[in-house]
């Protein structure tokens, strides 16, 4: 039997567990899995670049479980009232290859991205960080802010998007929070006075969303929008000043902010992969004047973590629809008998 998890069932699960508790527990699962980094079979995601977008497969496995995610990125989709990103995912047993869960991954991707971003901020942002600059108020924005509230005493969010409707949507969704929400007229205005900068835009170009002149000592930047070749968000001179942390170097070199470096220079500039901070192999923030950058592109291990965590919660709370999609054969060699023709 495989658990088919719909968005409605996932929403029921997160509500049952509690959003903050779900994020905190997911961060713990991410820490556990990243600390086992060398136990995983992993590759950079497989990307198919298509007109106006990208379609990707993200597989990974340890000795017990295999997972993959199908995901797209089509920045023009909102013009046709469609989501920029949609995704599905599967979790399977290694021992026999049988699937355990098939899930919509659009919401889980937002949850795991937020949890991973918050985890990086916990390791790299100043302990006294109170103000977030949010550049891009699309589908990820509320998840990012609420996840960061779990790891820091966030008081203020300064936000900007080129789409006024997206800004209004964000403000409406966050109206019941206890945060001071400051709508800004530009990226620069949002960044001023902020401690943590979260930048997540959809434009598939090299765009300097964050300029070097705006970045002051002590800031931490989560660069989340750069996720394919030819797409970056942070002015190159910011990278030259920052302590840079990535998820998986080989993938980030293709898709992240560091794609503008040669491999040789990137190897010198990148301080660590995230797992090295989690295990203590390397120290995160070392002093309050450092400029730190989490150059995040999203990695399959994060999908693995949220799939196995969510599957455990589904079992605990008896949530999801359990169905047979594998033919129930009396004789495993007699597949034709299922057709009954």
């Amino acid at each position: 039997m495989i658990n088919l998890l719909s968005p409605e069932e996932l929403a029921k699960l997160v509500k049952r567990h509690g959003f903050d508790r779900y994020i905190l527990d997911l961060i713990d699962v991410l820490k556990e899995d990243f600390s086992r980094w060398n136990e995983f079979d992993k590759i950079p995601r497989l990307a198919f670049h298509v007109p106006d977008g990208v379609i990707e497969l993200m597989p990974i496995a340890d000795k017990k479980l295999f997972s993959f995610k199908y995901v797209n990125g089509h920045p023009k989709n909102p013009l046709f009232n469609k989501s920029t990103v949609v995704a599905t995912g599967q979790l399977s047993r290694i021992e026999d290859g049988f699937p355990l869960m098939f899930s919509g991954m659009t919401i889980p991707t937002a949850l795991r991205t937020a949890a991973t971003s918050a985890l990086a901020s916990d390791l790299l942002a100043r302990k006294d960080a109170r103000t977030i600059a949010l550049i891009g108020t699309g589908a990820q924005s509320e998840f990012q802010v609420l996840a960061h509230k779990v790891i820091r005493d966030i008081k203020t969010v300064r936000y900007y998007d080129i789409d006024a409707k997206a800004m209004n949507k964000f403000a409406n969704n966050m109206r019941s929070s206890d945060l001071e929400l400051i709508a800004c007229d530009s990226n620069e205005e949002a960044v001023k006075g902020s401690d943590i900068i979260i930048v997540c835009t959809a434009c598939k170009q090299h765009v300097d969303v964050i300029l070097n002149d705006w970045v002051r000592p002590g800031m931490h930047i989560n660069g989340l929008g750069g996720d394919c070749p030819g797409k970056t968000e942070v002015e190159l001179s910011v990278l030259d000043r920052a302590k840079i942390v990535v998820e998986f170097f080989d993938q980030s070199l293709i898709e992240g902010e560091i794609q503008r470096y040669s491999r040789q220079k990137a190897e010198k500039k990148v301080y660590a992969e995230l797992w090295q901070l989690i295990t203590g192999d390397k120290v995160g923030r070392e002093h309050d004047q450092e400029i730190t950058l989490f150059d995040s592109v999203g990695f399959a291990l994060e999908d693995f973590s949220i799939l196995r965590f969510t599957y455990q919660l589904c079992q605990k709370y008896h949530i999801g629809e359990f169905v047979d999609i594998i033919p129930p054969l009396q004789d495993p060699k007699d597949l034709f008998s299922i057709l009954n023709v």
Side-chain angles (χ1 to χ4, degrees):
M1 300 286 282
I2 183 171
N3 187 357
L4 297 181
L5 189 65
S6 68
E8 293 78 15
E9 292 293 284
L10 176 65
K12 184 190 302 183
L13 183 148
V14 173
K15 185 175 182 179
R16 177 81 178 271
H17 200 65
F19 184 89
D20 286 359
R21 183 182 171 197
Y22 184 95
I23 291 294
L24 277 171
D25 288 348
L26 178 55
I27 288 174
D28 285 341
V29 173
L30 285 163
K31 286 180 180 178
E32 179 183 338
D33 287 340
F34 269 105
S35 69
R36 301 187 296 119
W37 182 257
N38 293 319
E39 296 179 19
F40 286 89
D41 289 328
K42 49 193 176 290
I43 59 172
R45 59 178 150 222
L46 307 173
F48 296 79
H49 296 278
V50 298
D52 296 325
V54 63
I55 294 174
E56 300 167 335
L57 291 176
M58 301 172 65
I60 194 167
D62 65 6
K63 292 180 174 59
K64 294 183 178 180
L65 296 169
F66 171 91
S67 75
F68 75 86
K69 182 172 75 175
Y70 161 92
V71 62
N72 79 309
H74 284 66
K76 293 184 180 179
N77 274 4
L79 298 176
F80 308 100
N81 202 31
K82 298 177 182 178
S83 297
T84 300
V85 176
V86 297
T88 59
Q90 182 172 305
L91 183 71
S92 300
R93 287 192 302 255
I94 288 290
E95 64 181 19
D96 56 13
F98 272 56
L100 298 171
M101 184 170 73
F102 187 82
S103 175
M105 285 293 286
T106 309
I107 296 173
T109 295
L111 288 165
R112 66 79 154 153
T113 302
T116 305
S117 178
L119 170 57
S121 291
D122 197 30
L123 295 165
L124 291 167
R126 298 192 328 269
K127 297 298 183 185
D128 65 350
R130 299 291 182 268
T131 302
I132 287 175
L134 184 64
I135 310 300
T137 56
Q140 292 277 346
S141 56
E142 297 89 353
F143 295 89
Q144 287 290 326
V145 170
L146 293 176
H148 276 77
K149 279 195 67 180
V150 170
I151 57 94
R152 287 292 186 274
D153 186 19
I154 301 299
K155 301 295 187 183
T156 303
V157 179
R158 304 174 62 85
Y159 63 99
Y160 176 72
D161 196 297
I162 59 173
D163 182 354
K165 290 183 179 179
M167 290 181 68
N168 290 335
K169 176 272 305 180
F170 172 77
N172 184 58
N173 285 341
M174 300 298 293
R175 67 185 184 279
S176 62
S177 73
D178 57 354
L179 294 166
E180 179 187 18
L181 303 175
I182 301 176
C184 298
D185 293 326
S186 67
N187 297 339
E188 181 178 7
E189 184 185 344
V191 168
K192 283 183 178 178
S194 297
D195 306 309
I196 298 172
I197 302 169
I198 301 172
V199 53
C200 188
T201 63
C203 183
K204 276 192 68 178
Q205 300 178 43
H206 292 302
V207 179
D208 290 339
V209 177
I210 302 298
L211 298 185
N212 184 48
D213 288 346
W214 308 342
V215 179
R216 60 177 173 75
M219 284 182 168
H220 170 64
I221 304 167
N222 283 326
L224 308 178
D227 57 4
C228 68
K231 182 183 179 186
T232 56
E233 298 177 311
V234 180
E235 188 175 12
L236 183 59
S237 49
V238 176
L239 274 66
D240 294 334
R241 297 169 61 198
K243 173 185 278 187
I244 302 172
V245 175
V246 300
E247 288 139 316
F248 181 30
F249 180 86
D250 287 347
Q251 182 171 300
S252 298
L253 188 61
I254 298 169
E255 302 176 345
E257 297 294 329
I258 64 169
Q259 66 183 265
R260 289 173 290 178
Y261 287 142
S262 67
R263 172 174 280 273
Q264 184 178 21
K265 186 169 183 179
E267 287 174 344
K268 291 180 180 179
K269 276 298 302 175
V270 172
Y271 172 71
E273 292 179 321
L274 184 59
W275 70 271
Q276 294 174 296
L277 303 188
I278 292 169
T279 60
D281 287 4
K282 292 192 175 182
V283 178
R285 175 171 289 272
E286 296 180 82
H287 58 80
D288 283 350
Q289 296 304 302
E290 276 188 307
I291 296 168
T292 54
L293 169 64
F294 179 45
D295 181 9
S296 176
V297 298
F299 185 54
L301 180 57
E302 296 151 26
D303 303 310
F304 178 97
S305 295
I306 196 167
L307 280 166
R308 80 172 182 90
F309 172 55
T310 302
Y311 180 69
Q312 291 169 356
L313 292 184
C314 285
Q315 292 181 306
K316 177 179 179 179
Y317 296 127
H318 305 289
I319 288 176
E321 181 183 0
F322 289 85
V323 299
D324 261 328
I325 62 171
I326 307 301
L329 299 173
Q330 296 295 322
D331 178 355
K333 293 186 178 182
D334 189 7
L335 182 60
F336 188 76
S337 64
I338 296 296
L339 297 180
N340 194 27
V341 295

